[in-house]
Amino acid sequence: MNNLKDFLIYENVSIKKALEVIDNGSMRIAIVVDNSNRLLGIINDGDIRRALLKGYSLNMSIIDIYQRNPSVCKITDTKEHIIKTAIKNKVYQIPIINESNIVVYIEDLATLLSGRIRKNKVVIMAGGLGTRLKPLTDDIPKPLLKVGSKPILETIIENFANYGFKEIVISVNYKANMIKEYFKDGSDFGVKISYLEEDKRLGTAGALSLIKEEIKEPFFVMNGDLLTNINFEHLLNFHLSGNSIATMCVREYEYQIPYGVIQIEKDEIRAIEEKPINKFFVNAGIYLLSNKVLNYIPKDTFYDMPTLFQKLINEELRILSFPIHEYWLDIGRIVDYERANDEYSNVFKE
């Protein structure tokens, strides 16, 4: 929400000011925040009316009348979870917060239920050889492998479409005709699909140099072998609110060292840590890019996404990380494919 600031107020403002914000905005609430935009609470027309009935004047502060424990959702919550939360708590608008309790968006129940069409394109990288999934990929490209009752790529497209992102671009190479024959122009799936055809392997970023039409809005890039139920709309809002040229989704990864780790200083043992667990954030294969990023991608050259992000870092441009806490699985090996089929029905609708 580009005009989020229009709904934010501080707890020392007057009731009159809060009422002006509520009346002038498209939402039915005002969000009470501190100086860092961390959520303190909300106030609506009903709160103000009840205060006036109790003898409060319009010039008094809202500090004693706003709701300090409102219904909220996190930026990582799914669309379905937000709808259920709103209905359960009988509210029409819900503040969306990040891990630092900072308000990044306001979700509107009516909009969620009616759905909306977004202009942002979705580029799905589906040209890989799927070597680690052989022999399953000897006769079929990895994105067409069925998980549950449908191909992996179909689930990805459906998830984006559910959030209103229906402009799909699929980058193809290995057994491209099979993918094009299955999805065609996308009309059977409620989306519009076009294709980027790699004559040679260009990598996850290099394939973007094949885009011919002008892109004006930030666009998604996602690997075609991932299953996740993240809220793509919240990813977009996070990217926009952070004024970022590029946002990378990241996933926390844990690795336990199977031995006791010895800390040594000048030959002396100072400490022993038994089988410590190291935690890292790893690239989750989902990105949100400004159209300006295309200027940093060389033509007709293999160029992968980590290289692109390193280039942006070297240029000291603003890039963000979006942590994924929802379901996420990279189907790169046979064991991952088997796990995906075991878990699919518990996460996605058949």
PDB file of all heavy atoms in Angstrom, residues 154-174:
ATOM      1  N   GLU A 154       2.213 -26.270 -12.407  1.00  0.00           N
ATOM      2  CA  GLU A 154       0.798 -25.898 -12.328  1.00  0.00           C
ATOM      3  C   GLU A 154       0.448 -25.373 -10.934  1.00  0.00           C
ATOM      4  O   GLU A 154      -0.293 -24.393 -10.797  1.00  0.00           O
ATOM      5  CB  GLU A 154      -0.088 -27.095 -12.677  1.00  0.00           C
ATOM      6  CG  GLU A 154      -1.567 -26.742 -12.745  1.00  0.00           C
ATOM      7  CD  GLU A 154      -2.428 -27.904 -13.229  1.00  0.00           C
ATOM      8  OE1 GLU A 154      -1.868 -28.860 -13.807  1.00  0.00           O
ATOM      9  OE2 GLU A 154      -3.658 -27.855 -13.027  1.00  0.00           O
ATOM     10  N   THR A 155       0.979 -26.009  -9.913  1.00  0.00           N
ATOM     11  CA  THR A 155       0.740 -25.531  -8.543  1.00  0.00           C
ATOM     12  C   THR A 155       1.319 -24.138  -8.353  1.00  0.00           C
ATOM     13  O   THR A 155       0.694 -23.270  -7.731  1.00  0.00           O
ATOM     14  CB  THR A 155       1.355 -26.500  -7.520  1.00  0.00           C
ATOM     15  OG1 THR A 155       0.686 -27.770  -7.597  1.00  0.00           O
ATOM     16  CG2 THR A 155       1.217 -25.969  -6.095  1.00  0.00           C
ATOM     17  N   ILE A 156       2.515 -23.890  -8.890  1.00  0.00           N
ATOM     18  CA  ILE A 156       3.134 -22.567  -8.779  1.00  0.00           C
ATOM     19  C   ILE A 156       2.255 -21.511  -9.439  1.00  0.00           C
ATOM     20  O   ILE A 156       1.984 -20.447  -8.865  1.00  0.00           O
ATOM     21  CB  ILE A 156       4.536 -22.574  -9.426  1.00  0.00           C
ATOM     22  CG1 ILE A 156       5.490 -23.471  -8.639  1.00  0.00           C
ATOM     23  CG2 ILE A 156       5.096 -21.151  -9.512  1.00  0.00           C
ATOM     24  CD1 ILE A 156       6.849 -23.661  -9.294  1.00  0.00           C
ATOM     25  N   ILE A 157       1.789 -21.796 -10.643  1.00  0.00           N
ATOM     26  CA  ILE A 157       0.953 -20.839 -11.379  1.00  0.00           C
ATOM     27  C   ILE A 157      -0.352 -20.590 -10.640  1.00  0.00           C
ATOM     28  O   ILE A 157      -0.809 -19.444 -10.524  1.00  0.00           O
ATOM     29  CB  ILE A 157       0.697 -21.359 -12.811  1.00  0.00           C
ATOM     30  CG1 ILE A 157       1.993 -21.321 -13.607  1.00  0.00           C
ATOM     31  CG2 ILE A 157      -0.392 -20.540 -13.502  1.00  0.00           C
ATOM     32  CD1 ILE A 157       1.900 -21.978 -14.977  1.00  0.00           C
ATOM     33  N   GLU A 158      -0.971 -21.639 -10.120  1.00  0.00           N
ATOM     34  CA  GLU A 158      -2.226 -21.483  -9.371  1.00  0.00           C
ATOM     35  C   GLU A 158      -2.028 -20.603  -8.134  1.00  0.00           C
ATOM     36  O   GLU A 158      -2.880 -19.772  -7.810  1.00  0.00           O
ATOM     37  CB  GLU A 158      -2.763 -22.852  -8.958  1.00  0.00           C
ATOM     38  CG  GLU A 158      -3.386 -23.642 -10.085  1.00  0.00           C
ATOM     39  CD  GLU A 158      -3.945 -24.971  -9.606  1.00  0.00           C
ATOM     40  OE1 GLU A 158      -3.663 -25.347  -8.443  1.00  0.00           O
ATOM     41  OE2 GLU A 158      -4.655 -25.624 -10.385  1.00  0.00           O
ATOM     42  N   ASN A 159      -0.909 -20.788  -7.441  1.00  0.00           N
ATOM     43  CA  ASN A 159      -0.656 -19.998  -6.237  1.00  0.00           C
ATOM     44  C   ASN A 159      -0.524 -18.517  -6.564  1.00  0.00           C
ATOM     45  O   ASN A 159      -1.059 -17.657  -5.851  1.00  0.00           O
ATOM     46  CB  ASN A 159       0.614 -20.492  -5.536  1.00  0.00           C
ATOM     47  CG  ASN A 159       0.404 -21.825  -4.841  1.00  0.00           C
ATOM     48  OD1 ASN A 159      -0.718 -22.237  -4.608  1.00  0.00           O
ATOM     49  ND2 ASN A 159       1.496 -22.498  -4.516  1.00  0.00           N
ATOM     50  N   PHE A 160       0.181 -18.196  -7.640  1.00  0.00           N
ATOM     51  CA  PHE A 160       0.290 -16.795  -8.039  1.00  0.00           C
ATOM     52  C   PHE A 160      -1.072 -16.245  -8.458  1.00  0.00           C
ATOM     53  O   PHE A 160      -1.443 -15.119  -8.098  1.00  0.00           O
ATOM     54  CB  PHE A 160       1.290 -16.637  -9.185  1.00  0.00           C
ATOM     55  CG  PHE A 160       2.715 -16.489  -8.730  1.00  0.00           C
ATOM     56  CD1 PHE A 160       3.619 -17.536  -8.876  1.00  0.00           C
ATOM     57  CD2 PHE A 160       3.153 -15.312  -8.162  1.00  0.00           C
ATOM     58  CE1 PHE A 160       4.929 -17.399  -8.466  1.00  0.00           C
ATOM     59  CE2 PHE A 160       4.462 -15.157  -7.740  1.00  0.00           C
ATOM     60  CZ  PHE A 160       5.364 -16.207  -7.895  1.00  0.00           C
ATOM     61  N   ALA A 161      -1.825 -17.023  -9.206  1.00  0.00           N
ATOM     62  CA  ALA A 161      -3.135 -16.571  -9.678  1.00  0.00           C
ATOM     63  C   ALA A 161      -4.077 -16.299  -8.517  1.00  0.00           C
ATOM     64  O   ALA A 161      -4.907 -15.381  -8.582  1.00  0.00           O
ATOM     65  CB  ALA A 161      -3.733 -17.614 -10.623  1.00  0.00           C
ATOM     66  N   ASN A 162      -3.963 -17.074  -7.454  1.00  0.00           N
ATOM     67  CA  ASN A 162      -4.821 -16.871  -6.285  1.00  0.00           C
ATOM     68  C   ASN A 162      -4.607 -15.505  -5.642  1.00  0.00           C
ATOM     69  O   ASN A 162      -5.497 -14.993  -4.948  1.00  0.00           O
ATOM     70  CB  ASN A 162      -4.579 -17.968  -5.245  1.00  0.00           C
ATOM     71  CG  ASN A 162      -5.173 -19.299  -5.664  1.00  0.00           C
ATOM     72  OD1 ASN A 162      -6.092 -19.348  -6.484  1.00  0.00           O
ATOM     73  ND2 ASN A 162      -4.654 -20.388  -5.112  1.00  0.00           N
ATOM     74  N   TYR A 163      -3.424 -14.921  -5.857  1.00  0.00           N
ATOM     75  CA  TYR A 163      -3.137 -13.598  -5.314  1.00  0.00           C
ATOM     76  C   TYR A 163      -3.295 -12.501  -6.370  1.00  0.00           C
ATOM     77  O   TYR A 163      -2.919 -11.350  -6.142  1.00  0.00           O
ATOM     78  CB  TYR A 163      -1.728 -13.566  -4.722  1.00  0.00           C
ATOM     79  CG  TYR A 163      -1.628 -14.325  -3.416  1.00  0.00           C
ATOM     80  CD1 TYR A 163      -1.114 -15.611  -3.366  1.00  0.00           C
ATOM     81  CD2 TYR A 163      -2.077 -13.758  -2.231  1.00  0.00           C
ATOM     82  CE1 TYR A 163      -1.035 -16.312  -2.164  1.00  0.00           C
ATOM     83  CE2 TYR A 163      -2.001 -14.444  -1.026  1.00  0.00           C
ATOM     84  CZ  TYR A 163      -1.477 -15.726  -1.008  1.00  0.00           C
ATOM     85  OH  TYR A 163      -1.407 -16.417   0.184  1.00  0.00           O
ATOM     86  N   GLY A 164      -3.857 -12.853  -7.511  1.00  0.00           N
ATOM     87  CA  GLY A 164      -4.140 -11.863  -8.543  1.00  0.00           C
ATOM     88  C   GLY A 164      -3.027 -11.632  -9.544  1.00  0.00           C
ATOM     89  O   GLY A 164      -3.124 -10.754 -10.397  1.00  0.00           O
ATOM     90  N   PHE A 165      -1.946 -12.424  -9.470  1.00  0.00           N
ATOM     91  CA  PHE A 165      -0.833 -12.278 -10.412  1.00  0.00           C
ATOM     92  C   PHE A 165      -1.032 -13.283 -11.543  1.00  0.00           C
ATOM     93  O   PHE A 165      -0.756 -14.472 -11.402  1.00  0.00           O
ATOM     94  CB  PHE A 165       0.498 -12.517  -9.700  1.00  0.00           C
ATOM     95  CG  PHE A 165       0.731 -11.583  -8.548  1.00  0.00           C
ATOM     96  CD1 PHE A 165       0.577 -12.015  -7.237  1.00  0.00           C
ATOM     97  CD2 PHE A 165       1.071 -10.266  -8.774  1.00  0.00           C
ATOM     98  CE1 PHE A 165       0.785 -11.149  -6.169  1.00  0.00           C
ATOM     99  CE2 PHE A 165       1.274  -9.391  -7.706  1.00  0.00           C
ATOM    100  CZ  PHE A 165       1.127  -9.828  -6.410  1.00  0.00           C
ATOM    101  N   LYS A 166      -1.507 -12.783 -12.673  1.00  0.00           N
ATOM    102  CA  LYS A 166      -1.935 -13.674 -13.752  1.00  0.00           C
ATOM    103  C   LYS A 166      -1.191 -13.450 -15.058  1.00  0.00           C
ATOM    104  O   LYS A 166      -1.535 -14.038 -16.080  1.00  0.00           O
ATOM    105  CB  LYS A 166      -3.446 -13.520 -13.964  1.00  0.00           C
ATOM    106  CG  LYS A 166      -4.252 -13.892 -12.715  1.00  0.00           C
ATOM    107  CD  LYS A 166      -5.736 -13.974 -12.972  1.00  0.00           C
ATOM    108  CE  LYS A 166      -6.484 -14.424 -11.718  1.00  0.00           C
ATOM    109  NZ  LYS A 166      -7.927 -14.635 -11.958  1.00  0.00           N
ATOM    110  N   GLU A 167      -0.177 -12.589 -15.016  1.00  0.00           N
ATOM    111  CA  GLU A 167       0.684 -12.380 -16.188  1.00  0.00           C
ATOM    112  C   GLU A 167       1.919 -13.255 -15.998  1.00  0.00           C
ATOM    113  O   GLU A 167       2.873 -12.872 -15.325  1.00  0.00           O
ATOM    114  CB  GLU A 167       1.063 -10.910 -16.317  1.00  0.00           C
ATOM    115  CG  GLU A 167      -0.088  -9.987 -16.658  1.00  0.00           C
ATOM    116  CD  GLU A 167      -0.507 -10.121 -18.116  1.00  0.00           C
ATOM    117  OE1 GLU A 167       0.355 -10.439 -18.961  1.00  0.00           O
ATOM    118  OE2 GLU A 167      -1.700  -9.899 -18.413  1.00  0.00           O
ATOM    119  N   ILE A 168       1.906 -14.441 -16.598  1.00  0.00           N
ATOM    120  CA  ILE A 168       2.948 -15.442 -16.361  1.00  0.00           C
ATOM    121  C   ILE A 168       3.886 -15.529 -17.570  1.00  0.00           C
ATOM    122  O   ILE A 168       3.423 -15.602 -18.715  1.00  0.00           O
ATOM    123  CB  ILE A 168       2.327 -16.832 -16.095  1.00  0.00           C
ATOM    124  CG1 ILE A 168       1.239 -16.756 -15.008  1.00  0.00           C
ATOM    125  CG2 ILE A 168       3.415 -17.826 -15.729  1.00  0.00           C
ATOM    126  CD1 ILE A 168       1.737 -16.360 -13.650  1.00  0.00           C
ATOM    127  N   VAL A 169       5.176 -15.536 -17.295  1.00  0.00           N
ATOM    128  CA  VAL A 169       6.193 -15.742 -18.327  1.00  0.00           C
ATOM    129  C   VAL A 169       7.014 -16.962 -17.906  1.00  0.00           C
ATOM    130  O   VAL A 169       7.550 -16.996 -16.794  1.00  0.00           O
ATOM    131  CB  VAL A 169       7.118 -14.519 -18.466  1.00  0.00           C
ATOM    132  CG1 VAL A 169       8.157 -14.770 -19.559  1.00  0.00           C
ATOM    133  CG2 VAL A 169       6.307 -13.264 -18.758  1.00  0.00           C
ATOM    134  N   ILE A 170       7.085 -17.955 -18.781  1.00  0.00           N
ATOM    135  CA  ILE A 170       7.821 -19.178 -18.448  1.00  0.00           C
ATOM    136  C   ILE A 170       9.068 -19.264 -19.322  1.00  0.00           C
ATOM    137  O   ILE A 170       8.977 -19.232 -20.556  1.00  0.00           O
ATOM    138  CB  ILE A 170       6.960 -20.436 -18.659  1.00  0.00           C
ATOM    139  CG1 ILE A 170       5.658 -20.338 -17.852  1.00  0.00           C
ATOM    140  CG2 ILE A 170       7.733 -21.684 -18.254  1.00  0.00           C
ATOM    141  CD1 ILE A 170       4.717 -21.513 -18.066  1.00  0.00           C
ATOM    142  N   SER A 171      10.235 -19.360 -18.682  1.00  0.00           N
ATOM    143  CA  SER A 171      11.484 -19.540 -19.405  1.00  0.00           C
ATOM    144  C   SER A 171      11.726 -21.031 -19.602  1.00  0.00           C
ATOM    145  O   SER A 171      11.754 -21.798 -18.625  1.00  0.00           O
ATOM    146  CB  SER A 171      12.643 -18.915 -18.615  1.00  0.00           C
ATOM    147  OG  SER A 171      13.867 -19.101 -19.297  1.00  0.00           O
ATOM    148  N   VAL A 172      11.870 -21.469 -20.853  1.00  0.00           N
ATOM    149  CA  VAL A 172      11.951 -22.897 -21.173  1.00  0.00           C
ATOM    150  C   VAL A 172      13.209 -23.200 -21.969  1.00  0.00           C
ATOM    151  O   VAL A 172      13.746 -22.350 -22.677  1.00  0.00           O
ATOM    152  CB  VAL A 172      10.715 -23.367 -21.964  1.00  0.00           C
ATOM    153  CG1 VAL A 172       9.459 -23.296 -21.098  1.00  0.00           C
ATOM    154  CG2 VAL A 172      10.522 -22.540 -23.229  1.00  0.00           C
ATOM    155  N   ASN A 173      13.663 -24.441 -21.858  1.00  0.00           N
ATOM    156  CA  ASN A 173      14.801 -24.926 -22.634  1.00  0.00           C
ATOM    157  C   ASN A 173      14.677 -26.435 -22.820  1.00  0.00           C
ATOM    158  O   ASN A 173      14.288 -26.910 -23.882  1.00  0.00           O
ATOM    159  CB  ASN A 173      16.120 -24.536 -21.964  1.00  0.00           C
ATOM    160  CG  ASN A 173      17.342 -25.073 -22.695  1.00  0.00           C
ATOM    161  OD1 ASN A 173      17.964 -26.052 -22.269  1.00  0.00           O
ATOM    162  ND2 ASN A 173      17.678 -24.461 -23.820  1.00  0.00           N
ATOM    163  N   TYR A 174      14.942 -27.199 -21.756  1.00  0.00           N
ATOM    164  CA  TYR A 174      14.881 -28.662 -21.835  1.00  0.00           C
ATOM    165  C   TYR A 174      13.438 -29.126 -22.031  1.00  0.00           C
ATOM    166  O   TYR A 174      12.562 -28.786 -21.236  1.00  0.00           O
ATOM    167  CB  TYR A 174      15.480 -29.265 -20.562  1.00  0.00           C
ATOM    168  CG  TYR A 174      15.431 -30.775 -20.486  1.00  0.00           C
ATOM    169  CD1 TYR A 174      16.164 -31.547 -21.374  1.00  0.00           C
ATOM    170  CD2 TYR A 174      14.660 -31.410 -19.515  1.00  0.00           C
ATOM    171  CE1 TYR A 174      16.131 -32.930 -21.307  1.00  0.00           C
ATOM    172  CE2 TYR A 174      14.627 -32.787 -19.427  1.00  0.00           C
ATOM    173  CZ  TYR A 174      15.360 -33.553 -20.323  1.00  0.00           C
ATOM    174  OH  TYR A 174      15.313 -34.929 -20.258  1.00  0.00           O
TER     175      TYR A 174
END
